[in-house]
Amino acid sequence: MHDDIPLTTGRARRVLDERITPAVHATATPLETAWHELPGEPIPPTEGLQLDFTPYEVGTTWGAAWGTTWFRLTGTVPDAWAGRRIEAVIDLGFDKNMPGFQCEGLVYLADGTPVKSINPRNQWVLVTERAEGGETVELFVEAASNPVLLDYHPFLVTQEGDIETSSPKRLYTSRRMDLAVFESEVHELALDIDVLLELQAELPEGPRRMRILQALDDALDRLDLQHIAETAPDARAALADVLAAPAEASAHTISAVGHAHIDSAWLWPVRETIRKVARTTSTMTELIDQTDDFLYGMSSAQQYAWIKEHRPEVYARVTAAVEAGRFLPIGGMWVESDTVMPTGESIVRQFSQGQRFFEREFGIRPKGVWLPDSFGYSPALPQLMRRAGFEWFFTQKISWNQVNKFPHHTFLWEGIDGSRVFSHFPSMDTYNSRLSGSEVAKASRQFRENRLATGSIAPVGWGDGGGGTTREMTGTAARLADLEGSAKVRWEHPDVFFDRAKAELPNPPVWVGELYLELHRATLTSQHQTKQGNRRSEQLLLEAELWAATAAARTDFAYPYDELDALWQQVLLQQFHDILPGTSIAWVHREAVAKYAETAARLTALIESALSALAGAGDATIVVNPAPFLQAGAPAQGAVLATDVTEPTPVTVTEQDGGWVLANALVRVVVDGSGHVTSAVDLTTGRDAVAAGQVANLLQLHQDFPNMWDAWDVDRYYRNRVEDLVDASSVTADLDERTGVARVVVERAFGDSSVRQEITLAPDSRTLEFDQTTDWHETEKFLKVAFPLDVRAEHTVAETQFGAQKRVTHTNTSWEAAKFETSMHRYVLVSEPGFGVALVNDSIHGFDTTRDAVDGHVTTTVRLSLLRAPRFPDPETDQGVQTHRYGMVIGTDQLGATAAGVVMNASARTVTGGQGFEPLVRVSGDVVLSSVKLADDRSGDLVVRVYEPVGRRGTGGIAVSGDLGRGGFGRGAEVTLLEEPLADASAVDASSFAVDAYEVRTFRFPRVRG
């Protein structure tokens, strides 16, 4: 027998695409259309429905970039359609390959009831399940003309990414606005054929595949192409047997959950995301109503909060679907944040703000952390997840690795402190599955735990820009529930999947340390002002909480719960994984920088108000230190009168060989005539931190044009071309007699840019500081600053949340070689026994390390990543004036690096008042104070968080001071990161407790009223 497979499959595909699919809505009549184009920003639907509309003709262009057009569609159901299901079919000019990335709309009834969204893969709207002849129809469409920025030729430079620079030209041409009969049997036939076509493509040339092909031929022979609707049932009958054949007993099981992965901002601004969430959730609730078993999962409390505020009519439907158990709040975070750059306190607040919202709104506390698309995952996360009460972790982004294939799909992830969290990566390698044959087959074929475990998760739906699951996907899932040759598919809550996976894998494999993404490494540097604003906001939030809690405990100051919550939520939103990493359009980052400035102003006002209450009336100058470490002129986390500050011993500045020597009691630094550091000696050991014959503070400029993903990526070959910026146009030195600080000022020009550096050494400080202002006007360049250090370091130690992570300095394996750009928080340390050097910073996250050797003498070069200049998606990335502050700590260890990093980010401030004051909280032993705040439940209890910073076991203690007769705080008990009791909290004494390496401990002290 001759089997011509391409003939059958080609026939089936053409008939499906050109005859069957169009026949689903073949019987149609045009709707009368009218429109109203808004001149500016969107308006509430209640206003949109009341607009004046003028006639519109389908085929007319509409919608400038970022515009909103309201359409009114009216019509009458023909008498001949009585008893039929009627749908409106609306094509605004869609490209079916770009759901979520172009125009879309939300359909309303005249009374303001939201129906569902329309988008390139979802162009239908239910009008009535059973029509009555002569029935009138009136629909309104709030249509968004979002520009296509990630086109078929991606990463093209465009000014369309900001409403301030976008073109007024209309972008879209409508194609169809019809009332149509929905031919259900034709729709079902289309799904039958599509599922079988995709299934057979993944099968070997055996009996099962051949019988599917024969059934397809038989079905097409029965189908009259001029009478599709009439003959579709007979064609389906020819496919019934092959669709009824059950799956093998050992078939892989896919736990499907509806998904849309709506980026909280990316190639659209936050204001458009709010509408995307409303559009998607309206469609998902409609799909829930139309199905029996479909489950839709959505993370990000922020997105629920948006629709509650801006689209309450949609939120009501979401709430009802949540109560029915069909719409699943998952993830437990405020947003799906970046997890590499935010501080530990920010991650804690992502959890606490998210869980508080879900519990308050729905009485639900998600059990897992759902982060499919963040750009790498900090090794501090397992501990934080567990201490916040989470039971599992889900992502898939590591499947994007450039070089190394991750060895597990279901495993335990162990963090820096030894905590482990049960984790899963979907083996189909996507968070936007449509349950295609190739995806389903891939999930089964490459699942790494096939020997013991039976299944994996599939997030199903169009995503990134929203859209979610379609009825085609739910129809596919129904056919794949139990189908020979395929994995089994069922809609299932992730909690159920994880419970089963844990039972199947009682001894899962373990992955230790960071989940480093071998891609998107440049997200540690792009959009510097966004990162700088985040770092500053994080510190100001903690400072505001500290002084507000202190003032509330000792004075009549009212703790600003509402304002702190609102400010935290704003900062947490901007930690979303396409905002903080610098990968969004210009509009997003312009707004983010403005929001950071607003946040800083509001927090500064809060801080000043609390400090005014604490300092009292008077005109004395008071020095206030928010850091838990000593810094010049201030105690650890307290305040003293400036008159009580010891006068500094000035640093000496002497000229030498055309340069200068800066020296204090601890270090001696030589800066040459070109502004480079040629020597930095630790006077305690006599060791020079700078490698012999080399210079530190060497600015280096690289060509930077990655293969793709401009704002995201830096590819290894960038190192092949480098320009050392050695020439200086001016180098001067002076000594500030008032502060005793020595300063060298260096000015350089290169390309179209210029740099001004102030190199300073303060009395009794081991840190040589660099305050740099760059007027940056380069294109596709990468600016770094190099520090070749005379240290034989086997590892770098880089701060992460509540601790640090070690990375080897060699590249013995492909795993190490892939980490050519890595992350840090406030410091990176390189050391050998007896001597170490740290680089600290106030807003830098990326660095690279090389291990160098001359005649067997090994040194270590660390380079900080300062600025980039990608052209997509923001063609003006980092252009203009940028500031950096960083320092070289000469002769230090990990605790010293921690202290120097904290002090650089939490500088002392001065206020006017009548008295200084003691800290509210003091810690002792081997722990560092992280935060002091009043409890989220507004009980007035005090919450104190500490952590072990250097990776060794030790002890700690917390003491809370009295409050001048106003009452005080009772004995502290350990609580979770969500500030709730532990089962064994009574056994922990806050005044003296043991800590493990990098352990985070949170204590709650009950308020005792005076």
Side-chain angles (χ1 to χ4, degrees):
M1 181 177 181
H2 301 289
D3 284 318
D4 197 336
I5 293 174
L7 190 62
T8 298
T9 57
R11 176 194 186 193
R13 179 53 63 189
R14 184 179 183 193
V15 170
L16 176 62
D17 292 345
E18 296 184 22
R19 293 292 185 269
I20 299 174
T21 299
V24 173
H25 292 112
T27 304
T29 185
L31 289 161
E32 292 185 16
T33 59
W35 67 338
H36 187 114
E37 290 189 290
L38 295 178
E41 286 295 284
I43 60 176
T46 52
E47 297 178 21
L49 296 171
Q50 303 303 318
L51 292 170
D52 293 325
F53 291 87
T54 57
Y56 172 82
E57 184 176 347
V58 172
T60 302
T61 57
W62 70 277
W66 308 116
T68 300
T69 301
W70 279 84
F71 292 97
R72 185 181 66 200
L73 313 179
T74 56
T76 303
V77 176
D79 292 339
W81 294 2
R84 307 295 300 276
R85 176 181 168 117
I86 308 302
E87 297 179 349
V89 182
I90 305 168
D91 185 346
L92 296 175
F94 296 130
D95 180 336
K96 70 176 184 178
N97 295 319
M98 293 186 179
F101 291 90
Q102 58 168 226
C103 61
E104 49 194 303
L106 181 53
V107 180
Y108 283 88
L109 300 181
D111 64 1
T113 301
V115 183
K116 66 182 289 288
S117 67
I118 52 171
N119 61 58
R121 293 282 183 162
N122 213 326
Q123 300 179 22
W124 62 273
V125 179
L126 175 63
V127 173
T128 178
E129 288 280 8
R130 189 174 180 83
E132 296 181 7
E135 182 177 350
T136 60
V137 176
E138 185 177 30
L139 300 173
F140 292 81
V141 182
E142 180 196 25
S145 47
N146 300 332
V148 175
L149 302 180
L150 196 64
D151 213 331
Y152 290 97
H153 188 313
F155 319 118
L156 293 178
V157 178
T158 176
Q159 295 292 337
E160 297 294 290
D162 194 333
I163 198 169
E164 293 186 350
T165 58
S166 60
S167 168
K169 177 183 176 182
R170 289 174 177 166
L171 301 178
Y172 296 102
T173 303
S174 61
R175 296 193 187 94
R176 185 179 187 184
M177 295 183 181
D178 291 344
L179 203 59
V181 174
F182 174 68
E183 301 288 356
S184 61
E185 281 294 293
V186 177
H187 172 72
E188 298 297 331
L189 175 62
L191 288 174
D192 291 344
I193 292 176
D194 191 52
V195 166
L196 290 171
L197 268 176
E198 293 197 346
L199 173 60
Q200 65 81 31
E202 301 300 323
L203 296 173
E205 292 189 22
R208 175 60 172 163
R209 187 182 189 194
M210 294 303 108
R211 286 167 188 161
I212 290 173
L213 291 166
Q214 185 59 48
L216 287 169
D217 269 334
D218 293 344
L220 294 174
D221 288 343
R222 297 185 187 187
L223 189 68
D224 185 337
L225 299 187
Q226 279 67 52
H227 299 88
I228 298 288
E230 295 82 354
T231 57
D234 192 31
R236 291 196 69 205
L239 301 174
D241 287 346
V242 291
L243 285 168
E248 295 86 349
S250 61
H252 186 80
T253 297
I254 292 176
S255 298
V257 58
H259 193 235
H261 183 67
I262 306 172
D263 284 321
S264 292
W266 180 26
L267 302 180
W268 44 86
V270 167
R271 70 92 148 139
E272 193 57 32
T273 311
I274 296 170
R275 300 202 295 176
K276 283 178 175 288
V277 174
R279 289 191 284 259
T280 297
T281 54
S282 67
T283 302
M284 294 303 95
T285 54
E286 192 275 344
L287 188 57
I288 286 170
D289 291 341
Q290 293 286 311
T291 57
D292 295 327
D293 58 349
F294 170 64
L295 301 176
Y296 177 72
M298 189 171 89
S299 72
S300 301
Q302 172 70 88
Q303 297 188 358
Y304 291 81
W306 276 334
I307 52 174
K308 180 181 180 182
E309 177 183 358
H310 296 280
R311 292 290 194 273
E313 67 281 0
V314 176
Y315 192 65
R317 295 177 61 183
V318 170
T319 301
V322 171
E323 291 175 353
R326 304 283 300 281
F327 195 114
L328 313 177
I330 54 177
M333 298 179 72
W334 189 250
V335 298
E336 291 183 12
S337 76
D338 179 83
T339 69
V340 174
M341 290 177 280
T343 63
E345 286 295 334
S346 289
I347 299 296
V348 171
R349 309 314 169 89
Q350 290 283 359
F351 294 158
S352 64
Q353 291 283 350
Q355 293 288 52
R356 284 165 57 196
F357 180 90
F358 288 129
E359 190 152 35
R360 181 174 65 248
E361 292 294 314
F362 308 120
I364 290 173
R365 184 171 290 190
K367 293 182 179 180
V369 173
W370 181 276
L371 283 174
D373 192 33
S374 292
F375 308 148
Y377 304 91
S378 160
L381 285 180
Q383 176 180 200
L384 302 185
M385 293 178 196
R386 295 302 302 274
R387 289 181 179 270
F390 291 105
E391 299 175 9
W392 53 259
F393 170 63
F394 173 89
T395 187
Q396 71 85 43
K397 196 67 172 186
I398 303 302
S399 68
W400 286 39
N401 275 2
Q402 282 182 321
V403 179
N404 298 286
K405 191 172 183 64
F406 194 78
H408 313 299
H409 286 110
T410 305
F411 61 101
L412 287 175
W413 179 24
E414 180 180 314
I416 54 174
D417 73 312
S419 295
R420 293 178 175 182
V421 62
F422 197 84
S423 304
H424 177 72
F425 296 174
S427 52
M428 63 171 57
D429 291 346
T430 182
Y431 55 79
N432 289 331
S433 172
R434 63 178 184 85
L435 295 176
S436 68
S438 59
E439 290 169 344
V440 171
K442 184 178 186 180
S444 176
R445 181 177 61 252
Q446 72 170 17
F447 182 57
R448 292 298 185 97
E449 281 66 54
N450 263 327
R451 289 192 175 201
L452 298 171
T454 59
S456 61
I457 287 179
V460 178
W462 299 108
D464 290 325
T469 317
T470 65
R471 65 181 174 188
E472 287 77 18
M473 295 171 188
T474 58
T476 297
R479 287 158 176 78
L480 297 180
D482 190 13
L483 183 62
E484 182 184 357
S486 172
K488 300 176 184 179
V489 175
R490 62 186 176 205
W491 299 106
E492 189 168 66
H493 196 300
D495 287 348
V496 177
F497 165 82
F498 275 97
D499 287 344
R500 184 172 59 252
K502 290 176 183 178
E504 292 175 340
L505 288 167
N507 297 296
V510 178
W511 180 267
V512 179
E514 68 181 321
L515 293 171
Y516 178 91
L517 178 62
E518 296 174 5
L519 198 73
H520 295 357
R521 302 170 181 89
T523 57
L524 299 171
T525 307
S526 297
Q527 296 287 359
H528 174 67
Q529 286 185 334
T530 298
K531 294 171 171 60
Q532 190 174 55
N534 175 73
R535 179 76 71 84
R536 182 64 176 147
S537 296
E538 289 175 318
Q539 175 56 39
L540 287 172
L541 279 162
L542 295 183
E543 195 174 342
E545 288 179 337
L546 167 67
W547 300 134
T550 305
R554 294 178 172 168
T555 74
D556 292 327
F557 184 82
Y559 192 82
Y561 292 102
D562 289 338
E563 187 161 15
L564 285 171
D565 270 348
L567 290 168
W568 265 115
Q569 289 168 12
Q570 180 62 49
V571 172
L572 297 177
L573 165 61
Q574 291 173 187
Q575 291 173 348
F576 177 73
H577 65 253
D578 275 308
I579 302 179
L580 182 55
T583 53
S584 289
I585 55 174
W587 190 349
V588 172
H589 292 289
R590 171 172 57 80
E591 288 190 336
V593 171
K595 286 291 185 182
Y596 285 130
E598 176 189 326
T599 297
R602 291 173 64 182
L603 286 169
T604 299
L606 280 179
I607 290 166
E608 291 174 348
S609 178
L611 290 175
S612 177
L614 286 164
D619 56 5
T621 300
I622 300 166
V623 182
V624 183
N625 179 14
F629 297 99
L630 294 171
Q631 52 182 306
Q637 210 164 81
V640 295
L641 296 177
T643 53
D644 296 333
V645 174
T646 304
E647 288 295 322
T649 303
V651 179
T652 61
V653 181
T654 56
E655 292 190 42
Q656 176 180 294
D657 300 328
W660 293 270
V661 178
L662 286 58
N664 61 21
L666 300 174
V667 298
R668 183 179 68 249
V669 176
V670 179
V671 181
D672 68 13
S674 61
H676 295 111
V677 179
T678 60
S679 175
V681 176
D682 170 19
L683 297 178
T684 304
T685 63
R687 287 285 301 270
D688 194 334
V690 180
Q694 301 192 59
V695 296
N697 187 40
L698 175 63
L699 292 170
Q700 295 183 305
L701 194 64
H702 293 271
Q703 186 167 282
D704 182 20
F705 188 65
N707 287 354
M708 57 192 304
W709 298 109
D710 295 35
W712 294 256
D713 284 358
V714 57
D715 290 327
R716 175 178 287 279
Y717 56 74
Y718 88 93
R719 290 182 174 181
N720 298 344
R721 183 182 179 92
V722 60
E723 177 186 357
D724 292 344
L725 305 181
V726 296
D727 295 331
S729 54
S730 173
V731 183
T732 60
D734 61 24
L735 179 66
D736 187 322
E737 299 292 347
R738 182 181 61 84
T739 63
V741 174
R743 180 179 68 164
V744 176
V745 179
V746 185
E747 295 182 352
R748 306 183 194 279
F750 58 94
D752 295 321
S753 305
S754 60
V755 172
R756 184 180 189 275
Q757 289 182 326
E758 291 190 6
I759 307 172
T760 58
L761 182 65
D764 302 320
S765 174
R766 292 186 174 276
T767 303
L768 182 67
E769 290 194 10
F770 303 84
D771 284 276
Q772 178 169 309
T773 300
T774 309
D775 192 7
W776 179 248
H777 297 284
E778 303 305 299
T779 300
E780 295 164 352
K781 296 291 174 65
F782 196 0
L783 182 65
K784 290 196 168 239
V785 60
F787 289 83
L789 304 173
D790 194 6
V791 178
R792 183 189 178 106
E794 301 303 320
H795 302 84
T796 60
V797 180
E799 187 185 38
T800 188
Q801 294 93 351
F802 299 120
Q805 58 183 312
K806 286 185 177 181
R807 300 183 183 96
V808 296
T809 56
H810 63 72
T811 55
N812 284 358
T813 72
S814 59
W815 292 89
E816 284 111 24
K819 296 179 182 180
F820 58 81
E821 182 79 4
T822 50
S823 65
M824 64 176 170
H825 281 198
R826 293 169 295 197
Y827 74 81
V828 57
L829 169 72
V830 294
S831 63
E832 60 183 62
F835 185 72
V837 180
L839 299 180
V840 293
N841 72 86
D842 77 337
S843 55
I844 298 167
H845 292 276
F847 73 97
D848 71 83
T849 309
T850 53
R851 183 184 179 95
D852 309 302
V854 177
D855 296 330
H857 185 76
V858 175
T859 60
T860 307
T861 297
V862 179
R863 299 193 308 157
L864 305 181
S865 302
L866 302 180
L867 292 170
R868 297 185 69 237
R871 304 297 309 283
F872 182 89
D874 176 6
E876 304 300 322
T877 301
D878 285 342
Q879 299 299 295
V881 176
Q882 304 284 348
T883 61
H884 296 81
R885 186 174 175 223
Y886 52 93
M888 178 169 62
V889 189
I890 305 158
T892 192
D893 56 13
Q894 195 169 339
L895 184 59
T898 301
V902 169
V903 167
M904 176 165 280
N905 285 266
S907 300
R909 66 173 71 230
T910 58
V911 297
T912 300
Q915 75 257 344
F917 53 87
E918 293 294 310
L920 176 63
V921 174
R922 296 183 186 272
V923 301
S924 58
D926 304 303
V927 295
V928 171
L929 186 62
S930 176
S931 65
V932 176
K933 62 189 289 292
L934 295 193
D936 288 339
D937 64 7
R938 307 193 179 196
S939 61
D941 292 356
L942 185 70
V943 174
V944 179
R945 189 155 26 252
V946 297
Y947 68 99
E948 195 289 313
V950 300
R952 65 185 175 214
R953 298 183 187 185
T955 60
I958 302 173
V960 179
S961 68
D963 63 354
L964 307 179
R966 290 177 48 79
F969 296 96
R971 177 179 177 273
E974 187 170 10
V975 292
T976 70
L977 294 181
L978 302 186
E979 303 176 4
E980 296 174 337
L982 299 178
D984 58 349
S986 60
V988 180
D989 185 347
S991 65
S992 180
F993 52 87
V995 288
D996 283 338
Y998 297 132
E999 188 174 18
V1000 181
R1001 306 291 288 276
T1002 306
F1003 293 88
R1004 181 168 177 151
F1005 298 80
R1007 182 72 161 150
V1008 178
R1009 303 295 175 182

